[in-house]
Amino acid sequence: MDRRIKKNQAAIMHAFLQLIAKKDFEKITINEIAELADVNRGTVYSHYAVLDKCVENQLNHLMECCYSIDAAGPFPSKAPLLRTIQEIENNALLYKTLLDMKDVPSFRTHLSRMIHNQLMEHLKADSAGLDELGKLIFAQFMSSAIVGVIEWWFNASMPCSAEELTERLWSLLEANRMNL
């Protein structure tokens, strides 16, 4: 890919992330993105659907930061969960904004799906006595719980550190793991 195209895409993404941290998605205009990115309006349209690309990039970044090769059994280890929550904490305004957005493709859905898929990978490796439907229900329950706790954490103005949240969440996950 041409360097200029990559540069424009990066500038558009950066501009979009800056704007979404400051104002509601519905109030962001293509002109604002173009002006902040220092590109013309047509360039913004020609590169991609900005929000979808932003969500995809943020999820890919989370996956890269938080994936664990050392994980075994139906749960990943605590370390990737901590890295995930720390990454979310380090970019709290962005992730809170993405989780709160209404009437646009849901970051919450994408995040939940990412966690669900990782849990399913681990459940396939360690069947834990569950049939396929049981695995699906268990992964859905756990991914919804994790995302729900993260949303609560934001809405409660992050009343504890990422480390404490991880410890408490991990103890709940472990308690559910014992029931498999």
Side-chain angles (χ1 to χ4, degrees):
M1 181 182 296
D2 184 306
R3 279 188 187 179
R4 188 183 48 186
I5 292 172
K6 286 182 182 179
K7 182 181 174 201
N8 284 344
Q9 287 179 341
I12 292 167
M13 183 61 63
H14 183 72
F16 178 72
L17 292 175
Q18 284 182 310
L19 288 168
I20 203 159
K22 294 177 186 173
K23 61 195 293 188
D24 291 340
F25 173 78
E26 297 82 17
K27 295 179 181 175
I28 296 172
T29 67
I30 294 296
N31 286 339
E32 289 175 311
I33 295 169
E35 185 176 316
L36 194 55
D38 196 25
V39 298
N40 69 44
R41 182 182 166 105
T43 302
V44 175
Y45 283 119
S46 70
H47 280 291
Y48 41 70
V50 178
L51 180 60
D52 285 342
K53 192 68 173 177
C54 176
V55 169
E56 180 184 326
N57 285 347
Q58 288 307 124
L59 284 171
N60 288 337
H61 180 69
L62 271 179
M63 289 288 287
E64 289 168 7
C65 289
C66 309
Y67 182 72
S68 176
I69 298 168
D70 63 342
F75 286 100
S77 67
K78 188 178 357 176
L81 179 62
L82 175 60
R83 285 193 303 270
T84 302
I85 294 174
Q86 285 173 329
E87 172 63 22
I88 290 170
E89 180 183 47
N90 291 338
N91 296 288
L93 182 58
L94 171 64
Y95 286 109
K96 182 178 186 336
T97 302
L98 289 172
L99 283 168
D100 284 346
M101 288 188 325
K102 306 291 184 247
D103 301 326
V104 293
S106 173
F107 183 74
R108 183 190 201 289
T109 301
H110 291 293
L111 180 59
S112 184
R113 187 177 312 125
M114 178 188 83
I115 294 168
H116 180 274
N117 290 343
Q118 288 221 324
L119 287 169
M120 286 301 293
E121 291 280 324
H122 292 284
L123 287 169
K124 286 177 184 172
D126 178 13
S127 65
L130 293 175
D131 62 9
E132 197 60 32
L133 180 60
K135 291 175 189 178
L136 288 168
I137 291 169
F138 181 78
Q140 182 61 43
F141 171 76
M142 297 309 282
S143 61
S144 296
I146 291 168
V147 173
V149 168
I150 291 169
E151 284 180 314
W152 164 84
W153 188 49
F154 283 141
N155 292 332
S157 300
M158 299 167 71
C160 60
S161 68
E163 291 78 11
E164 183 177 355
L165 181 66
T166 300
E167 286 298 324
R168 291 175 181 248
L169 185 55
W170 189 256
S171 67
L172 293 170
L173 293 171
E174 282 290 304
N176 281 292
R177 180 181 187 179
M178 296 301 174
N179 294 325
L180 288 180

